[in-house]
Every structure is written in C-alpha cells, then in structure tokens.
Amino acid sequence: MTNKQAAIKIIKRLGRNGFQALLAGGCVRDMLLGRRAHDFDVATDAAPADVIKIFKRTLKVGAKFGVVIVLLEDKQVEVATFRTEAGYIDGRHPGRVKFAGAAEDAGRRDFTINGMFYDPLRRQVIDYVDGQADLKKQIVRTIGKPEERFGEDYLRMLRAVRFSTQLGFAIEPGTWSAIRSNAKNITRISGERIAVELEGILVDPNRSAGAVMLIKSGLAEAIFSGFADREAKFAIKVLYELRTKVDFALALAGLFSGCPEEFTREKCQILKLSRSQNKHIKFLMTNRGKLLDDRMSLAELKMILAEPYFRDLYELQRAIEKARPDGRGGIAALGRLRKRIKALGDVELRPKPLLNGHDLIRLGAVPGPGLGQLAEEMYIAQLEGKLQTPQQARQWAKKWLQKHRIIEK
Ligand code: ATP
Ligand code: MG
C-alpha cells in the first residue's frame, strides 16, 4: 500500500461514516503539477474525537490543534479537522484553533498553490483560493494580504522562498515586497524551524536561485547577521557550481565559502544542527584550500582521503575554484591531485599500525605523551611507505627512542 492509497482508504472510511474528507495542501499541488508528493494529508469535517473513534490505530499528538495521525499497515497519514487559526500572538503560533468548513480551512493555509483540496472519489479539485490559476502562472502568492499572513507566522517568508526554489516559480510582487519589509522578523522563529526550510532551499538543485532570493530579500542577513554582500555574491556562484545532489552540511559550507571558519561556526549555531552536521561543516571549513597544495605529503594525502567527508571537500573546493574569477590554477591543482590519487591504486589508506602500544613499550618506550608522539610519527612513516615490515618499524622506533632519550634503562 502506498501513502496515497492509505490516504484514499481513510477518506472512503470517513465518507462511509457520514463525514466529508479530502486530500489537502501540498499533495494536491504536486498531483496537479505531475510531481511526486511525499505525504498525502487528509482534511475532514470530522472532529479529532470522531477520527480517533473510527480508526483503531491513531496517534493523538496534535489532537488539540485538530490533527490526528492514522496508522494503516506501515503507513501514517495526517488527518486534520478543517479549522481556522486565530489570534496569532507572537508571529509563530496560533493562539487557538476553531473547527470550521473546508473553505475556511483553505483560507488559513499559506499560499494559493498550497490551499487546494482534491476529492479522489469524485476526481474533483476543490479550489477556494484560485490556486489552479497561480499554478498555471507559476507563482507563489499568499492567500489573503501578505503583510497580515506573514505577520501571523514569519516562517512563511522562508517557505515562500523554498516553494519558489523547489518549483521554479516566481514570487508574486506583493508577496515579495512583504517578505522584504518583514525579513528582519524571521529572528522570532526558532532556529530549528528556520533550519528545516533553509535545508529545503539549499539542498535543492535550484539552490543558487534560492540563495539569490534569501540574499535579496534580506532574509540571509537577518538570519546570519554580518553575512556581507561580497561573501553573498561569491556564495551564489559556489552554490551554482556544486553538484546536483548535496546534503545540508555541504550546501552550508558552500553558502559560507567566502567567510572565515569562526564566523561560520558561530552562525551555524543558530540553526541547532546535529553534532554530525557540525562536524561535517567544520571538516569542510578547516580543510578548505588543503587539496590545492601540491606539497601535501603522501601520509597527509592518505589520511585526508580516508576521511568520510573527503568527497564533499573535493566537491566544495572544485566549486570554489570554478566560482573564482582566477580559479584556473586551482582547477589545475585539483587535476594533479586526482592523478596522485589514481596513482595510489587500491593501496590501503588506513592500514593497521605495524607496531601497537604494547610493542613500543616492550621496546622501552614509557607510557605517556611521548609514547603517543612516537606512535603517531611511526604511523606517518608507515603511510609514507618508509616502513614496510614490523622489523623495520622496530628499528625505526629504537632509533627514535634513543634520539629522544626517553628509553627506560
Ligand atoms: P512539501 O511537499 O514540501 O511537504 P507541503 O505543501 O506539503 O510541502 P507542509 O509543510 O508539509 O508543506 O505543509 C502541508 C500544508 O499545510 C501546506 O501545503 C499548507 O497548506 C499548510 N501549511 C504548512 N505550514 C503552514 C504555515 N506555516 N502556514 C500556513 N499553512 C501552512
Ligand atoms: Mg508536506
């Protein structure tokens, strides 16, 4: 059973119980565009209590706001009661919800293209907001007055940029000018929610157009204060050059590719990224430029090649060099690096050390920082190809210990 089939099953069942139920929002938009929808949401005049009664397995997390998740086999479908949202107090959360009819429910949604319903049984689009006309015109337009709608929930500004980026639609001029005049208020939205929309914009293949909108609207500057014009212009080019499929960390490193590492770290904190995302970005930012260095030793090359994010580092550097007006030298350096990598063949990048800590202690090394240093230098010599056998390593280690006079008598 697909998500769509699960949603339709739920709609039929609600219908048999005397309720109106429709597909709603993003999935209707995507169906009309012939795009694949990820989730099929159901909207209904059944109250959450009715939905919970009708279906055996439900999750009631959002029942207060009219949303129940219905579980069918391994699928989860959001079933939301038609509602209006009123009394936004803080530009983020509606103060209360009121259950209502389909037309009112359409009116609370963000953009006309997201405000349509579809009746799968009668095969009918139900469109109270002229969404179909805007789909044809390929524009993102708020339902109702943009100033008011953004004032209710400032996140919608970023959502407008996301839909415009993902669908390749223009933002309607009135909607755009309201985004520009309200951009500063995006700081009232939590970093996590900003990050979700920003990720949608920056991982999309059309990300550089998205970045242009983020910058021109003032949203980028509002989210990342101090993100200056020159860096922004460079970022747009780098994002344009990056390969089609990237993850959020690589895209962010692209966005900040003209900025110092410390600035990037500070700005990314706002987004409350995961530890592994932060690590990923940090690796890309600290190692920028390294791959262009022809003097990189064999050991350094092997170590950086063994890094899980090496491919992303290479891709970022390639995009940076392509974006630079004088990047030809950099591109040539990357070509030389590729040759070096190819010449390595399938050599093991992270072989087991020829000697372990116990072996070194047996040779007379004293446990402590000295031992760590010995092990590290010996491993580098091994990666350089200077040491091939444990025998060679033992001799090398003995010499090292004599030289550093930390051999135990
Ligand atoms: P996607 O395909 O990216 O999931 P979507 O349109 O389904 O896009 P969701 O965030 O999943 O977007 O939201 C589902 C629907 O809920 C939207 O189509 C829209 O009608 C409504 N919606 C979501 N967020 C808001 C919001 N902040 N303000 C008003 N309506 C919203
Ligand atoms: Mg959705």
Side-chain angles (χ1 to χ4, degrees):
M1 184 163 53
T2 61
N3 276 319
K4 187 177 179 182
Q5 287 165 335
I8 292 175
K9 231 172 159 168
I10 291 167
I11 289 173
K12 283 186 181 157
R13 181 104 167 251
L14 283 164
R16 283 200 300 277
N17 282 272
F19 295 109
Q20 183 189 16
L22 302 165
L23 290 171
C27 65
V28 179
R29 174 200 68 221
D30 290 338
M31 277 162 46
L32 292 173
L33 288 173
R35 288 168 67 101
R36 244 182 57 179
H38 353 234
D39 28 44
F40 287 82
D41 300 334
V42 172
T44 178
D45 61 359
D50 299 318
V51 178
I52 290 165
K53 241 185 266 163
I54 293 169
F55 296 96
K56 240 189 285 161
R57 290 163 57 223
T58 56
L59 303 173
K60 301 163 200 76
V61 276
K64 226 171 65 187
F65 305 103
V67 183
V68 174
I69 296 184
V70 175
L71 306 167
L72 270 194
E73 293 181 13
D74 62 334
K75 296 288 182 276
Q76 301 197 357
V77 178
E78 230 182 81
V79 178
T81 306
F82 296 137
R83 64 186 189 270
T84 58
E85 287 168 355
Y88 281 86
I89 20 179
D90 51 1
R92 282 186 292 201
H93 304 295
R96 55 200 144 84
V97 303
K98 208 173 115 229
F99 297 138
E104 285 161 296
D105 186 79
R108 71 155 177 99
R109 293 172 183 270
D110 47 7
F111 305 109
T112 58
I113 55 171
N114 290 348
M116 293 174 278
F117 301 105
Y118 183 73
D119 181 337
L121 310 180
R122 295 184 183 77
R123 294 170 192 252
Q124 230 170 40
V125 178
I126 298 159
D127 180 4
Y128 297 104
V129 294
D130 276 341
Q132 290 169 104
D134 286 345
L135 267 190
K136 281 214 185 76
K137 286 190 233 167
Q138 307 204 315
I139 56 177
V140 178
R141 179 205 307 267
T142 55
I143 293 171
K145 295 203 181 92
E147 283 285 342
E148 277 171 27
R149 301 310 312 284
F150 291 135
E152 289 168 3
D153 179 359
Y154 293 114
L155 187 70
R156 290 174 186 155
M157 300 189 287
L158 269 182
R159 288 175 58 84
V161 174
R162 170 162 74 85
F163 291 117
S164 166
T165 304
Q166 292 174 331
L167 303 172
F169 284 17
I171 298 179
E172 178 270 329
T175 301
W176 175 250
S177 91
I179 295 175
R180 291 186 56 161
S181 54
N182 282 288
K184 285 201 175 64
N185 293 317
I186 194 66
T187 50
R188 301 211 204 165
I189 300 296
S190 75
E192 290 92 333
R193 293 180 76 208
I194 290 177
V196 170
E197 299 301 331
L198 210 54
E199 176 167 8
I201 296 165
L202 292 179
V203 305
D204 192 86
N206 195 25
R207 67 185 74 90
S208 77
V212 170
M213 288 184 271
L214 287 174
I215 291 159
K216 286 200 171 157
S217 61
L219 284 167
E221 163 71 32
I223 299 169
F224 304 120
S225 67
F227 190 67
D229 212 44
R230 205 169 53 87
E231 285 80 21
K233 287 209 176 90
F234 187 62
I236 291 166
K237 286 198 211 151
V238 173
L239 291 171
Y240 179 81
E241 296 293 347
L242 281 179
R243 64 174 181 242
T244 312
K245 201 171 149 26
V246 298
D247 62 18
F248 194 25
L250 175 54
L252 281 170
L255 183 71
F256 288 107
S257 53
C259 306
E261 184 189 343
E262 181 52 27
F263 177 84
T264 306
R265 200 183 55 79
E266 188 187 303
K267 295 303 152 188
C268 286
Q269 270 175 7
I270 297 162
L271 302 176
K272 308 268 159 48
L273 301 174
S274 70
R275 262 169 98 172
S276 80
Q277 282 176 315
N278 280 319
K279 228 176 105 184
H280 191 165
I281 296 172
K282 185 173 182 282
F283 173 80
L284 296 175
M285 298 305 287
T286 33
N287 289 295
R288 262 178 318 179
K290 244 190 204 161
L291 302 185
L292 303 178
D293 183 2
D294 288 317
R295 290 160 311 177
M296 194 184 346
S297 72
L298 182 59
E300 280 176 306
L301 177 62
K302 284 181 179 171
M303 283 200 262
I304 207 158
L305 269 174
E307 289 285 347
Y309 305 125
F310 171 78
R311 252 178 62 86
D312 277 1
L313 177 63
Y314 182 92
E315 176 59 15
L316 177 65
Q317 197 70 56
R318 193 190 59 76
I320 288 175
E321 299 312 313
K322 292 272 277 197
R324 277 167 30 154
D326 54 351
R328 297 246 302 272
I331 294 288
L334 288 176
R336 291 192 294 277
L337 176 75
R338 272 212 315 280
K339 277 210 187 100
R340 276 188 84 183
I341 295 169
K342 214 167 156 198
L344 286 177
D346 51 9
V347 64
E348 204 178 344
L349 298 173
R350 285 283 173 100
K352 247 177 75 181
L354 289 165
L355 303 178
N356 62 28
H358 295 297
D359 299 331
L360 293 174
I361 289 167
R362 234 173 281 135
L363 290 173
V366 184
L371 177 62
Q373 198 190 335
L374 165 59
E376 197 180 313
E377 288 184 24
M378 195 190 70
Y379 192 60
I380 289 171
Q382 179 183 344
L383 291 181
E384 295 288 358
K386 291 178 191 149
L387 303 176
Q388 314 271 355
T389 63
Q391 175 61 27
Q392 286 171 347
R394 268 191 292 276
Q395 269 177 3
W396 188 94
K398 273 187 205 151
K399 267 201 202 129
W400 191 97
L401 288 166
Q402 274 159 11
K403 196 167 118 201
H404 290 78
R405 295 177 210 290
I406 52 174
I407 198 157
E408 248 186 9
K409 288 277 148 50

